[in-house]
Amino acid sequence: AHSSARATDGMPSDMKVTDNIHKPERDARLYRRVTFPNGLEALLISDPSLAGMQTPTEDEGDDEEEQEAEDEEEEEDEEADGDDDDDDDDGAEDSPGAGMKLAACAVDFNVGFFADQASGFEGISHFLEHMVFMGSEKYPGENHFSDWLSQHWGSENACTDSEQTTYYFECHPKHLAEGLDIFSGYFLNPLLKMDAVEREVTAVESEFERVVNNDATRVEAIMGHVSNDSHPYRVFGWGNRASLTENPLWKQGLIRDKLLEHWRKHYHAGRMSLTLLGEQTLDELQKMVADVFGDMRADGEPAISYASAGAPYLNQLPLRIDTTMIREGKQLDLVFTVPSALRRAYKRKSTEYVEELIGHEGEGSLFASLKSRGLAERISAGVAAGGLADTTCCALFTVTIKLTDEGFSKVDDVISSFFQYVEMMRRTGPQEWSWREAKDLRGIEFRFKEEEGAAEYTEMLAMTMRRFEHEDVLRGEYAFDEFHRGDIEAVVDCITPRKCVYIVSDHAFDCDAPGVEREKWFDAPFSRSAVPEKKLAEWESNEPDAALRYPPRNVYIAERFGIKAGSATRLETAKKAGVVPLDATTPPPAPLVSPPEIVHECALMRLWHRADDKFDQPRMSAYFHVSLPGIEDSPEAFVAADMLTLMIHDRLQDRVRYPAELASLNAGLDVVGQHTCLSLTFDGFDCKLPRLVQAYFSAVADFELDPARFHKVKEKRLKDLKNYGLKPGRQARSLLHQLLKRREASESSKIAALEAMEPETLTQFAGAAWQGAAHVEGLIIGNVTAEEALEMGASVREAFKKSAPVAAEAFPKKEIAIVPPGDTRFALAAQNPEEGTNVVYVYYQHGVCTHDNRAVSLLVHQLIGEKLFDQLRTKEQLGYVASGSLETLHDVGGFRVTVESAFASPKFVEERIDAFLRGFPKQVLEMDDAEFTKTRRSLVDSVLTMDVSLSAEADRHWTHVSNQKYQFYRGQIIAGLIDGVSKKEVVEWLEANLAPIAAAPNARRVTIHVHGKNHPLDAADMGAESGGQNALGADDVAALKKSWGYHPAQGDPTRVPELEMPPESMARLSNTDIDAARRKAEAAARAAARDGDDAPRLSNQWAQRLAERRAMCAAGCACLKPSGGGPFKMPRLTK
C-alpha cells in the first residue's frame, strides 16, 4: 500500500492512495482505494471492457429471456424516476454499440436508523433516504435523474439500515461522469422540498405495509421491543405515517428543519464511502471524484459507535418469547450476543468458523441428528448482515431451526441437542485443520470469483469498505489469515443456556391468551416468560450425543485449476488467421455470441457443448432437461414429480449436496416446462462437477424411498403450498399462470392431491415416469473439452438403461391458452386475512413471439417503464409497487401492469391504470425525436450487452436450448429490427395492443383484482364491472382455458433447424464472422448428405459435428430400444 504521504498528479500530500489491492486471479480490472483529505473513502475500479467491442454509444435494456422455474419470484422492486431535461449531445449515438457493460456508482454513509433517537423522529433516516431523491439545487426536477437514467441504460435505488444508508445507480459507461454529477446533488445540496413531503410519507407507509406481514421482520421488531429501555434496538427504523406525522415536531411544522439537521449532521465527507466503476483510467476516475466531492464539507458529527449502549438484553437473560407466524410452520430461534470486536476481527473469522460448524448440514452435524429423528426441516446459524444483527453494539449470533410438527412438540429436546453440540465443540476445542479447510474453501471462492452486476458489486463494496484495511477492500469477506484459538473459544463461551433469548414461533399461537403483549408498530403478538431453572440445569449438564462430531473432510473441494483452452486458444486461432501479429500476447475481442455445438445426438440424448475461450475460469456449467411423457396432466402427477425432486435432494443432502455447496458446486433439481420434464442444473469447478452430476442422475435412476422421510418432506411441502399465495402479488401471478398454462393446477388441488399421497404411490410413479420413456437435452459449457463433455453425456445415459426413447408424437407439449379479445376479469380475496395490500394485475396477450413483435414490445417496455412508475407511484402515490413488464410464457408474448396499494381500492387503481394506458400513446407521439432515438439506441445497446461471466453466458445459451428454438443469435437479430422501429409503429402498436378495451376492443386482456382487508371483496366486486361482464373466481379457471383453446406449442424437440444468422450490420458490430459461419454450414450440409437416412433431419450447420460424433453410444444405450411414451396413470382422489 502506498503511504498516506503520497501525492498523485498534484493531489494533496495527505491523501492516502492504495493501488496494490488483493483481487481475484481472473479479475482484469484495476483498483485503487483513496482516502481524500476531507475524509471521503473511495474505491475506484477501472474496467476498459465496459466500452464494448466497436464504437459504443448508449444504454441497456433486457433481452427478455424466458424464466421457466416452477417457483419463480414475482415481485420486483421499482426504482425512483426522473423529470426531464437532457443536454447530452453525444455524437457517438449515430450508431449502436455492442458488448458493453454497465458503469456504476454507490455511496454509503455510516449513519442509519439508530441515529433516529437523537433526532426525535423514529423513521427519519429512512424518510431522508426518500426525500433526497426529490431533486437538488443544480437539478431541481423531482424525477430528473430517473428520466435521465431511462435514456442512459440505467437504474437507481437506496436502502437504510441500522448504521448505514446506501445509494447507488448504474448507467451507460459513456455517460458516467454526467450521471455522477446529477447523483452527487442528493448529498451535496438536496432540496428536501416541502411539497414532496406528503407524497414521500405515503411512499414510506406503502413500504411499511409491504413488510408488516413478513415473519422475519416481525420477529426482529419484537427483539427490538423487548430490548432494554433507551437501547438503540428499540428504534422503529422502518418508519411509517404514524411515527412521522403523529410526532409533536411534525405538528409544529419542523419536519423539513429536522431533515436538514439530520442531513447536515451525518451526510458529510468524513462519513461517506464511495465506489466508482467506469471505463476510464484510475487517474481519470480519481479526478472525477475529486472534482465532484473533493470540496464536500466535513463539518458534521463524527461517526457514532454504539458500543457504550451495552448489551441489549442485560439482566433479562435467559428469556423465552413465544409468538405467531403468518406462514404455516413452526420455528425456533436461539439468539446470543457476541462482542462486536470478535465479529469484526475480519482476518480471524472466528465467528464465521463457529457458525459454519453449528449450521453444518453434513454427516455428524446437529442438523443431521435432528433430521434423522424427524425434528427439523432446515437450519441456519450465524450473524446476519444488517438490521439488529451486526452493529457496533454487538453481534446477534442466531441459530434458526425450522421445526417439523414433531420437533415443535419436542422443542426442549431440540434445544437440548443444540447445547449438546456446542458442548462437544467446547470439549473438542477449536480444530485448526477444520478452520484451514474453511480458509481453503473461501480462498478458492475468492481466487476464482466471477464478475457480478455493476450495481450490486459497487453497493456491496461501498457498504463494507470501512471495515477492511485498504488492500483488503475486496478480500476482507474472504480473508482467513489468523487462526486464533482464544477468539473461537470466546465465541463458544457466548453460547450457553443462560445467555440465550429463546424465540418459539408457531402459526397456531393463541394471540388472545392471557399475558400476550403486542409490539407497538407491527402489532405482532408475543408472550415472554422465564426459562425454568430445572431445564437450564439439564441443558448445561447433558452429555453430548456420540453421533455429534466435527464434519468430515470435504471431498468436493477443487484441486485442479488449469485452463484447457481459454483465451489462449482464441489468440492462436487469430494468429493463424492473420487477424493479429504472430508476436501478439492479447487475443482479439471475442464475438458477442459463440453458439455451442452438438457433440452427441441419439434417440435418447442431444448434447450441446462449448469450450470457454473468454473467461479463463476453471468452472463449468452442465444443464439438462429430461422430458418425461410419464408425467400426466393432473394435480396428482404434478405433486408426485415435485415430491420426487424433493426426496432426491433430501437423500443427497448430508453427503453430497451440502458439502458440494460449501465447495462452490451447485445442484438444482426441479420440475419445469408445465410439469413435462425434470431440470437438472449444475455449476462449479470443473474437476469435481462430474462427480456431482453422476450422484444426482444415479439417485433418480435408483430411486429409493424412506417412508419416514417421505412423511416429513410431505409435511414441509404441504406448508410451502399453503404459504405460496400469502403475498397478494404472488397470488395474482399464480392465478394468471393457472389460466394461461395448459398443464397447471391450483395450489388447493395440489394440496388435496399431496395430502392423499402415500409412499407407495410415489415409488410407483418414479419408476414408471423415469423408466417408461425419456429424452435428455443437455448443455455443457466452460473449462471442459468436447471429449470430457462426451464422457459426461455417456455417464448420464447410464442412468437411463431401463428407459426407452420418446416417440416423436409422444413428446409432451407446453401450450399457452389463447386469451380472447376483450377483458376477462377476476376478483379474489387475499389469501392472508390480515393482508392490507390490494393488487391489480392487468395482463395483455400479444400472441406467439416473432422477431418483429419482440422488437416492438421490447421498445415499448423501454419507453413505458419510467413513465408508468412516475405517474402511478411518484405522482399519484397509488402504492409502493407500480410496474410494467414483459410477460413471456413459452414464447407467447404479453405485457403486464402491476400495482400494489394498501390505500386505494382495486377498482380505483384499475381506473388510474387505464387512464395512463389511454394517454400513453400521445406521450410517445409528442416525444422529442432525439429523445425517442436515444431511447431506441439505448435498448439496442442493452440487447447487445456482453455476458459478464461464464454462468451468464451458460444461462443465455440454455434459454435457447431449453425452448428448443435454438436461436442463439436472436439478440442481434432483434437489435437490428429495433433500430428500425419508428415512433409511428410504436403508437399504432400501443393503440391496438395495450389500451383499455373500450379503446381497443380487439386487445386480449386479463384483469385480476386481489382484495386485502382494507378493501374487502364483496358482491359488488363480483358483479358486472366492465362492459357488463361479471368478475370470475379461481374456480372458473379450468373450464375457461379449455373453452379458449391453445396456441401451437413452440419449439420442436425432434429437430434442430438451421441456425438463423444476424444481419450483417449487427454481425460487424458484435464481431461475428458470418462468412465463416456460412462456410461451416455448407460443409455441414455436405457431411449430412453423406450421412444417408438422417440427411433431411441433420442437413444444417450442426451435421458436420454430428457426423464425427454420432457413433458414440454403448451397446446398452436406451436409444437402441423401440421408442414409446405416454403418461403413467396416477391414482385419483376419491371424490
Side-chain angles (χ1 to χ4, degrees):
H2 301 291
S3 72
S4 59
R6 178 192 171 203
T8 303
D9 295 335
M11 292 294 177
S13 61
D14 58 347
M15 181 180 296
K16 182 177 180 180
V17 180
T18 306
D19 283 331
N20 57 333
I21 289 171
H22 300 297
K23 66 178 186 176
E25 189 174 293
R26 302 295 196 263
D27 191 345
R29 294 168 293 196
L30 300 176
Y31 294 85
R32 175 180 295 167
R33 183 168 171 181
V34 183
T35 304
F36 285 84
N38 59 3
L40 168 64
E41 288 279 352
L43 177 65
L44 312 172
I45 309 172
S46 173
D47 185 356
S49 74
L50 298 186
M53 29 179 82
Q54 299 280 339
T55 308
T57 63
E58 206 41 319
D59 327 351
E60 196 220 89
D62 207 330
D63 182 16
E64 182 66 41
E65 310 267 353
E66 180 182 346
Q67 293 277 321
E68 253 278 311
E70 171 115 312
D71 284 327
E72 71 185 347
E73 289 290 327
E74 49 72 50
E75 295 163 27
E76 290 135 23
D77 290 336
E78 305 306 319
E79 294 89 353
D81 359 281
D83 200 296
D84 189 336
D85 252 348
D86 192 318
D87 320 325
D88 185 1
D89 291 339
D90 193 325
E93 288 176 35
D94 291 339
S95 61
M100 289 183 294
K101 297 181 289 186
L102 289 165
C105 178
V107 164
D108 179 80
F109 292 95
N110 58 359
V111 61
F113 61 75
F114 277 4
D116 291 3
Q117 277 183 322
S119 75
F121 267 104
E122 290 191 276
I124 196 168
S125 292
H126 186 200
F127 189 45
L128 178 60
E129 173 223 303
H130 278 251
M131 287 296 296
V132 298
F133 281 96
M134 298 294 106
S136 64
E137 290 178 8
K138 187 174 181 180
Y139 301 99
E142 281 187 17
N143 300 308
H144 175 81
F145 195 30
S146 289
D147 262 344
W148 184 91
L149 287 168
S150 72
Q151 297 168 27
H152 293 86
W153 197 6
S155 64
E156 63 177 338
N157 215 329
C159 61
T160 303
D161 213 325
S162 53
E163 295 179 276
Q164 291 180 282
T165 306
T166 311
Y167 303 81
Y168 66 84
F169 77 93
E170 56 187 0
C171 72
H172 188 285
K174 290 297 180 185
H175 303 284
L176 177 61
E178 185 183 359
L180 183 64
D181 183 45
I182 304 171
F183 186 57
S184 67
Y186 291 170
F187 321 118
L188 297 175
N189 44 41
L191 293 177
L192 306 179
K193 301 175 182 176
M194 275 304 295
D195 59 1
V197 163
E198 178 56 37
R199 279 187 282 112
E200 289 311 304
V201 166
T202 302
V204 169
E205 174 71 9
S206 296
E207 199 170 345
F208 172 70
E209 286 287 339
R210 293 194 80 219
V211 299
V212 76
N213 288 311
N214 179 282
D215 287 320
T217 306
R218 288 158 67 95
V219 166
E220 185 174 69
I222 292 170
M223 290 291 292
H225 184 84
V226 302
S227 63
N228 293 334
D229 290 344
S230 301
H231 196 278
Y233 276 22
R234 294 184 73 90
V235 173
F236 173 47
W238 285 94
N240 64 6
R241 183 177 295 280
S243 75
L244 294 169
T245 63
E246 294 176 13
N247 188 298
L249 295 169
W250 176 286
K251 295 175 181 178
Q252 294 169 35
L254 298 177
I255 181 59
R256 186 172 185 277
D257 293 342
K258 284 296 179 179
L259 286 168
L260 280 168
E261 179 185 320
H262 205 67
W263 168 74
R264 288 194 188 101
K265 282 182 177 180
H266 306 300
Y267 279 41
H268 62 84
R271 299 179 69 171
M272 177 173 159
S273 303
L274 176 147
T275 307
L276 187 65
L277 167 63
E279 63 170 330
Q280 295 83 354
T281 67
L282 289 173
D283 288 345
E284 289 169 339
L285 292 170
Q286 184 170 328
K287 184 177 186 304
M288 197 183 295
V289 175
D291 289 347
V292 175
F293 293 110
D295 295 329
M296 185 179 186
R297 62 185 183 85
D299 58 352
E301 291 185 354
I304 304 168
S305 171
Y306 293 92
S308 61
Y313 309 108
L314 191 65
N315 301 322
Q316 293 193 65
L317 303 179
L319 172 65
R320 172 163 171 159
I321 294 172
D322 288 86
T323 186
T324 188
M325 294 180 71
I326 301 297
R327 295 171 62 87
E328 290 274 350
K330 304 169 193 303
Q331 179 171 305
L332 170 67
D333 291 291
L334 305 170
V335 185
F336 308 87
T337 55
V338 173
S340 181
L342 277 178
R343 169 64 176 174
R344 299 198 176 192
Y346 75 90
K347 293 185 177 182
R348 296 176 176 178
K349 293 294 189 293
S350 299
T351 307
E352 289 85 345
Y353 172 66
V354 173
E355 64 189 43
E356 171 69 28
L357 291 173
I358 292 176
H360 206 279
E361 298 180 28
E363 296 176 89
S365 66
L366 168 65
F367 179 71
S369 172
L370 296 174
K371 176 184 162 185
S372 68
R373 291 180 282 154
L375 304 180
E377 299 172 349
R378 197 180 313 152
I379 191 171
S380 63
V383 179
L388 305 183
D390 190 4
T391 69
T392 54
C393 301
C394 64
L396 294 183
F397 189 106
T398 302
V399 180
T400 298
I401 301 173
K402 299 283 187 183
L403 300 170
T404 63
D405 293 344
E406 183 181 358
F408 178 75
S409 68
K410 299 177 179 177
V411 68
D412 287 349
D413 291 346
V414 173
I415 295 170
S416 176
S417 293
F418 167 76
F419 284 117
Q420 287 177 49
Y421 190 87
V422 175
E423 182 61 22
M424 180 278 295
M425 291 174 58
R426 187 175 285 111
R427 293 184 186 184
T428 308
Q431 300 292 295
E432 188 168 355
W433 72 265
S434 179
W435 184 90
R436 292 199 175 280
E437 183 172 273
K439 170 188 171 78
D440 291 344
L441 287 167
R442 296 295 275 165
I444 292 169
E445 188 179 345
F446 178 70
R447 180 182 170 190
F448 299 107
K449 191 171 184 288
E450 290 196 288
E451 191 171 322
E452 302 171 52
E456 296 82 0
Y457 190 52
T458 53
E459 180 191 21
M460 179 271 293
L461 291 171
M463 293 176 72
T464 58
M465 190 185 308
R466 289 180 184 258
R467 291 195 176 195
F468 308 128
E469 295 175 7
H470 267 224
E471 63 271 17
D472 284 337
V473 65
L474 306 180
R475 190 183 73 102
E477 296 284 0
Y478 302 85
F480 276 69
D481 292 349
E482 305 167 13
F483 174 70
H484 198 283
R485 187 178 302 273
D487 274 11
I488 295 171
E489 290 172 342
V491 174
V492 174
D493 285 344
C494 294
I495 304 173
T496 70
R498 296 182 188 275
K499 297 178 181 178
C500 183
V501 180
Y502 304 81
I503 306 174
V504 182
S505 304
D506 175 22
H507 179 72
F509 175 77
D510 185 356
C511 302
D512 299 316
V516 170
E517 305 175 52
R518 292 274 177 172
E519 186 277 331
K520 179 179 179 181
W521 300 105
F522 288 78
D523 198 36
F526 70 96
S527 62
R528 42 183 152 184
S529 57
V531 181
E533 178 62 32
K534 182 179 178 181
K535 278 294 172 192
L536 293 171
E538 177 186 321
W539 294 336
E540 288 174 325
S541 61
N542 275 346
E543 284 292 312
D545 187 322
L548 300 174
R549 59 187 184 276
Y550 274 73
R553 296 181 188 274
N554 192 335
V555 299
Y556 284 96
I557 299 176
E559 298 163 342
R560 299 189 306 275
F561 306 104
I563 302 302
K564 295 161 186 172
S567 58
T569 302
R570 196 169 78 252
L571 176 60
E572 290 306 311
T573 303
K575 287 180 180 179
K576 290 176 183 176
V579 175
V580 297
L582 292 177
D583 59 352
T585 57
T586 303
L592 187 67
V593 174
S594 298
E597 295 185 334
I598 300 173
V599 292
H600 177 87
E601 174 138 16
C602 67
L604 179 72
M605 170 183 276
R606 179 183 296 132
L607 184 63
W608 299 79
H609 165 259
R610 195 179 106 71
D612 171 51
D613 61 358
K614 295 181 184 178
F615 300 103
D616 291 341
Q617 284 275 4
R619 301 174 180 272
M620 72 181 201
S621 298
Y623 300 162
F624 303 92
H625 271 183
V626 183
S627 293
L628 297 172
I631 306 174
E632 70 170 359
D633 184 1
S634 71
E636 291 80 8
F638 298 165
V639 297
D642 285 341
M643 282 295 293
L644 172 62
T645 66
L646 295 172
M647 292 302 299
I648 296 298
H649 279 313
D650 186 75
R651 175 182 167 188
L652 297 178
Q653 180 67 16
D654 56 349
R655 296 189 179 188
V656 176
R657 187 185 186 195
Y658 186 75
E661 281 182 359
L662 290 179
S664 299
L665 273 67
N666 302 301
L669 174 58
D670 301 286
V671 187
V672 300
Q674 296 190 40
H675 309 278
T676 63
C677 63
L678 297 188
S679 170
L680 293 97
T681 57
F682 308 90
D683 65 80
F685 294 104
D686 62 271
C687 67
K688 296 289 185 177
L689 199 70
R691 178 175 183 163
L692 184 62
V693 173
Q694 186 174 28
Y696 265 82
F697 274 98
S698 297
V700 184
D702 303 323
F703 182 69
E704 295 177 2
L705 187 143
D706 177 347
R709 290 305 305 154
F710 169 85
H711 289 293
K712 296 301 179 184
V713 173
K714 172 181 170 179
E715 176 187 313
K716 181 181 183 302
R717 182 59 180 154
L718 282 168
K719 292 174 186 174
D720 291 342
L721 287 169
K722 292 173 183 177
N723 290 328
Y724 184 79
L726 285 177
K727 291 183 178 180
R730 182 176 287 177
Q731 187 179 354
R733 187 178 181 85
S734 174
L735 179 69
L736 181 65
H737 282 214
Q738 290 169 44
L739 181 66
L740 297 180
K741 294 178 180 179
R742 180 169 192 156
R743 293 171 58 100
E744 187 54 276
S746 66
E747 269 66 49
S748 60
S749 65
K750 292 177 184 176
I751 289 168
L754 183 53
E755 284 175 337
M757 181 178 287
E758 295 298 332
E760 299 78 18
T761 305
L762 182 58
T763 301
Q764 293 168 10
F765 167 83
W770 190 261
Q771 296 172 16
H775 182 268
V776 184
E777 184 137 24
L779 169 68
I780 299 175
I781 180 172
N783 192 39
V784 54
T785 66
E787 288 70 25
E788 289 168 331
L790 287 166
E791 288 177 16
M792 285 183 66
S795 171
V796 168
R797 291 197 300 278
E798 284 290 308
F800 293 90
K801 281 191 170 182
K802 298 178 182 178
S803 302
V806 179
E809 68 278 4
F811 274 93
K813 296 179 179 179
K814 295 164 284 213
E815 295 173 312
I816 297 298
I818 302 170
V819 177
D823 189 7
T824 305
R825 307 178 59 77
F826 290 84
L828 316 169
Q831 180 178 320
N832 174 17
E834 296 304 312
E835 179 60 63
T837 300
N838 310 307
V839 169
V840 175
Y841 232 60
V842 176
Y843 164 81
Y844 287 88
Q845 189 178 85
H846 300 139
V848 173
C849 290
T850 65
H851 295 327
D852 289 309
N853 66 27
R854 277 187 193 274
V856 177
S857 60
L858 280 166
L859 183 53
V860 167
H861 180 243
Q862 182 86 350
L863 290 164
I864 203 172
E866 183 278 328
K867 302 294 185 186
L868 184 145
F869 183 89
D870 177 40
Q871 182 63 39
L872 300 185
R873 178 182 159 174
T874 305
K875 290 188 171 70
E876 299 190 26
Q877 284 294 318
L878 292 181
Y880 187 73
V881 171
S883 67
S885 56
L886 298 172
E887 178 86 16
T888 303
L889 295 171
H890 300 295
D891 253 21
V892 173
F895 194 89
R896 164 172 56 88
V897 177
T898 306
V899 175
E900 296 185 11
S901 177
F903 318 117
S905 70
K907 182 175 185 294
F908 179 77
V909 169
E910 185 186 353
E911 288 171 357
R912 301 315 304 151
I913 291 172
D914 282 346
F916 172 82
L917 294 177
R918 193 177 299 114
F920 185 64
K922 184 180 178 185
Q923 288 189 53
V924 175
L925 199 60
E926 294 175 352
M927 182 182 287
D928 179 81
D929 287 345
E931 181 185 350
F932 180 83
T933 301
K934 178 178 285 190
T935 303
R936 189 176 60 192
R937 285 278 185 260
S938 164
L939 178 60
V940 170
D941 291 349
S942 160
V943 173
L944 298 177
T945 301
M946 177 70 79
D947 295 315
V948 299
S949 64
L950 177 63
S951 57
E953 181 184 6
D955 288 345
R956 183 168 47 76
H957 286 322
W958 184 237
T959 295
H960 300 299
V961 172
S962 60
N963 71 13
Q964 295 169 330
K965 286 194 167 182
Y966 313 104
Q967 297 168 333
F968 298 106
Y969 288 115
R970 189 179 76 188
Q972 285 120 297
I973 295 168
I974 292 172
L977 293 170
I978 291 169
D979 213 29
V981 176
S982 68
K983 190 191 298 186
K984 181 173 180 288
E985 287 177 87
V986 170
V987 170
E988 289 174 351
W989 189 93
L990 286 166
E991 291 175 340
N993 297 290
L994 200 62
I997 294 300
N1002 291 321
R1004 301 170 183 270
R1005 170 164 156 165
V1006 176
T1007 303
I1008 301 173
H1009 291 183
V1010 180
H1011 291 253
K1013 66 178 182 181
N1014 298 340
H1015 300 89
L1017 181 66
D1018 57 28
D1021 298 303
M1022 298 301 292
E1025 291 186 5
S1026 174
Q1029 180 181 340
N1030 289 341
L1032 304 169
D1035 293 340
D1036 300 301
V1037 166
L1040 192 63
K1041 66 181 176 182
K1042 285 181 182 176
S1043 70
W1044 286 352
Y1046 299 92
H1047 290 284
Q1050 299 300 294
D1052 184 353
T1054 66
R1055 63 180 297 274
V1056 180
E1058 186 159 343
L1059 181 61
E1060 191 175 0
M1061 302 301 294
E1064 295 209 13
S1065 60
M1066 291 296 131
R1068 286 193 301 272
L1069 199 61
S1070 57
N1071 204 27
T1072 300
D1073 189 341
I1074 287 186
D1075 290 335
R1078 285 173 179 158
R1079 287 194 298 271
K1080 181 177 176 182
E1082 290 167 3
R1086 290 193 296 271
R1090 294 193 301 268
D1091 219 26
D1093 294 341
D1094 284 342
R1097 179 164 168 247
L1098 302 178
S1099 60
N1100 55 42
Q1101 73 283 351
W1102 315 112
Q1104 185 174 29
R1105 194 68 169 169
L1106 280 174
E1108 299 169 8
R1109 302 291 184 184
R1110 54 173 305 141
M1112 299 296 295
C1113 291
C1117 181
C1119 71
L1120 303 175
K1121 298 179 183 179
S1123 57
F1128 169 67
K1129 295 297 182 182
M1130 295 290 296
R1132 290 294 193 270
L1133 293 174
T1134 303
K1135 301 297 183 186

